[in-house]
Amino acid sequence: MSDKHHEEAHTGPIKNSKQLLITVALAFILPVILIIGLVNFVGSAPKTGAGVGMQELAQAQRIQKVGSIEIRDADRPLRAGEDVYKGQCAACHATGVSGAPKFGEAGDWGPRLAQGFETLVHSALKGKGAMAPQGGGEFNDLEISRGVAFMANSAGGNFPEPQPEAKEGEAAK
């Protein structure tokens, strides 16, 4: 009797290989599935961006469009060179920031005036040195060229203020 009791004490609930396979599957695979499920549950909640308290605002910022289109009135009156200078150019050219030629300083503008009006306008529209391109902003290209003429003329240049090209119907009148 003692031999049988001794033998039963050393055996476990797993009696065959099928039971062993089921036990291994439940012991290792089931916890992994549970962990993956918990991670998905916790991670599925909508998140806000750092420093953003409102969920709707954070979501709107994440899905905003990359580009935008601005529709402007094509028949609005063109602004004069002085208005363009005050609105766009004065920030740098009034004080000479980053080597910008100062407004009204003939010494600063002399070498630039010698290059010609078209070169000055091209530099303004496309950018040069520390000056960023000015084209495509609040002012159209013609208005930027008017601003260039205004600044150049204040330093001794003699450029006429550019005018819009006459349309075919207006040329006949």
Side-chain angles (χ1 to χ4, degrees), residues 36-169:
I36 291 172
L38 284 172
V39 168
N40 284 335
F41 176 72
V42 171
S44 66
K47 296 175 191 73
T48 58
V52 179
M54 295 185 291
Q55 178 180 349
E56 294 83 17
L57 178 62
Q59 184 178 12
Q61 289 174 344
R62 287 192 308 267
I63 63 172
Q64 72 181 353
K65 294 179 182 176
V66 175
S68 63
I69 296 175
E70 183 178 336
I71 300 174
R72 297 182 185 177
D73 183 11
D75 294 329
R76 71 170 170 78
L78 290 173
R79 288 172 270 192
E82 183 176 3
D83 296 331
V84 175
Y85 168 76
K86 288 178 183 176
Q88 184 107 356
C89 310
C92 297
H93 288 282
T95 59
V97 172
S98 297
K102 283 185 168 183
F103 181 78
E105 294 285 329
D108 289 351
W109 282 93
R112 291 167 176 88
L113 294 175
Q115 294 175 354
F117 183 69
E118 293 302 319
T119 303
L120 290 172
V121 170
H122 178 75
S123 296
L125 293 174
K126 303 296 182 192
K128 183 174 183 178
M131 181 176 70
Q134 303 301 310
E138 179 183 345
F139 303 102
N140 66 28
D141 292 357
L142 181 60
E143 290 170 326
I144 295 292
S145 65
R146 286 177 159 202
V148 169
F150 175 74
M151 288 190 295
N153 290 343
S154 73
N158 190 19
F159 301 117
E161 185 174 74
Q163 298 299 320
E165 294 180 17
K167 296 178 183 172
E168 289 182 27

